[in-house]
Amino acid sequence: MKYFKKIMFYFLAFSLVFSLYVPLINASERSFDDIYSDYLNSSKWEKDAEELLFELRSGADPLTGYDLWRSLWNESIDPEKRAANAIKLIDELYPDSDIRRWNDIEGFWYPGIVPKPLAAIDAVYVASLELIQMDSNGSAWLARNFVNDLSRSSRAKFHFMKTAPAEYLTIINMLRDKGMNPVIGNWTEPEVKGKLPLAVPVRGYVGNNWAVSMNYTFLNGSGQIVNMGNYAWDRIRGRIYRIIDRERNGGSHVIYFPIQ
């Protein structure tokens, strides 16, 4: 009798756990078959991606820094060359070419005053967008790796995936269509705000109060995102302004508005 009761107890406990677990499985966009398929194919995809990465690195233009970033927006170059240049810029800006280390990037390109941390995001998204559209073995998987690595920087994920340029949404939708998923869970669904390029030269001035009221994003003297800083980034319009402190003129505050 005691043995029967024990069996019944374990049966009921298992039934309860299973009944709670099944809805979680059904609620997920990814089935067990999808995850298992990714596991079986990942080794081949990874090998193909490594070979493609080597090939693209050797095919990039002999440019560096600001000129390399500018080449990403040159419509006269072919998509493969643009992907190669974007990857070269990733190698240049990210320490040890590790996209997870976005937090460590700082500085500007002069004389235009273009923030490198934003240009580094441009590089990842341009590379990913071009790779997904390439008809090469491992290209979509390489794009998936780039975006997944960027998501492993908590600050990059917060600033550029939870709130993201329109191109990020295009990228994750194309990755989904190809069955390319992140290591864990699903791609972060964004609030779309603005578009590429994120990095632009600093142009004009804006008062601090105006920047706050317009919900601009602040950058510090190293081009990194901060709560309050030296520069104000209008993500929607794609402009960056220098912050000018309020001045007193005959007892009134003078606010410098963005130059149109």
Side-chain angles (χ1 to χ4, degrees):
M1 188 66 177
K2 289 182 179 179
Y3 178 76
F4 176 75
K5 287 182 177 179
K6 182 181 285 189
I7 292 295
M8 287 299 296
F9 173 79
Y10 285 123
F11 175 77
L12 292 173
F14 175 79
S15 299
L16 177 61
V17 171
F18 184 76
S19 66
L20 293 172
Y21 184 62
V22 167
L24 293 177
I25 296 176
N26 293 335
S28 173
E29 295 181 8
R30 298 180 62 193
S31 68
F32 175 80
D33 288 341
D34 291 334
I35 297 172
Y36 186 62
S37 176
D38 287 353
Y39 173 77
L40 291 179
N41 290 309
S42 60
S43 294
K44 181 183 184 305
W45 290 338
E46 192 67 38
K47 183 176 181 298
D48 290 340
E50 289 176 0
E51 293 175 354
L52 178 61
L53 183 59
F54 177 82
E55 179 183 332
L56 289 171
R57 278 176 169 152
S58 63
D61 284 326
L63 303 171
T64 60
Y66 177 69
D67 291 331
L68 192 56
W69 172 76
R70 285 192 62 186
S71 76
L72 305 186
W73 323 111
N74 184 349
E75 296 182 359
S76 67
I77 67 175
D78 63 78
E80 185 170 320
K81 178 70 72 174
R82 186 176 295 108
N85 286 356
I87 290 169
K88 184 176 180 180
L89 188 58
I90 289 171
D91 292 338
E92 181 177 312
L93 292 177
Y94 289 86
D96 301 323
S97 304
D98 188 348
I99 294 174
R100 297 170 299 178
R101 296 182 61 184
W102 176 79
N103 295 357
D104 298 331
I105 300 172
E106 59 183 27
F108 292 86
W109 287 311
Y110 294 97
I113 319 180
V114 178
K116 294 180 182 180
L118 299 187
I121 302 296
D122 286 337
V124 171
Y125 284 159
V126 169
S128 300
L129 200 55
E130 298 297 350
L131 284 166
I132 296 170
Q133 300 175 81
M134 287 173 58
D135 186 22
S136 300
N137 292 334
S139 59
W141 185 252
L142 183 56
R144 172 262 187 199
N145 286 351
F146 284 165
V147 180
N148 184 71
D149 284 350
L150 188 64
S151 73
R152 295 176 69 182
S153 162
S154 59
R155 295 188 73 241
K157 182 176 182 178
F158 178 79
H159 292 297
F160 305 110
M161 292 181 172
K162 290 187 176 180
T163 302
E167 289 81 358
Y168 167 74
L169 183 58
T170 300
I171 289 167
I172 61 172
N173 284 337
M174 293 174 74
L175 287 173
R176 286 191 189 112
D177 291 343
K178 292 178 178 290
M180 299 292 170
N181 302 294
V183 173
I184 299 174
N186 300 299
W187 295 114
T188 302
E189 293 296 334
E191 173 194 352
V192 173
K193 195 171 184 179
K195 61 182 181 179
L196 300 181
L198 301 181
V200 291
V202 174
R203 292 287 184 269
Y205 305 90
V206 64
N208 187 75
N209 285 355
W210 177 261
V212 171
S213 69
M214 296 301 291
N215 198 31
Y216 290 167
T217 299
F218 288 92
L219 308 177
N220 64 15
S222 297
Q224 298 168 320
I225 295 177
V226 290
N227 291 330
M228 298 295 291
N230 308 75
Y231 303 93
W233 176 29
D234 179 355
R235 295 186 66 154
I236 294 176
R237 301 176 71 185
R239 297 180 180 179
I240 301 175
Y241 307 105
R242 188 187 299 275
I243 294 289
I244 296 297
D245 292 335
R246 294 183 302 178
E247 298 179 357
R248 294 189 177 278
N249 184 8
S252 63
H253 294 296
V254 177
I255 301 298
Y256 293 79
F257 290 92
I259 295 176
Q260 302 299 320

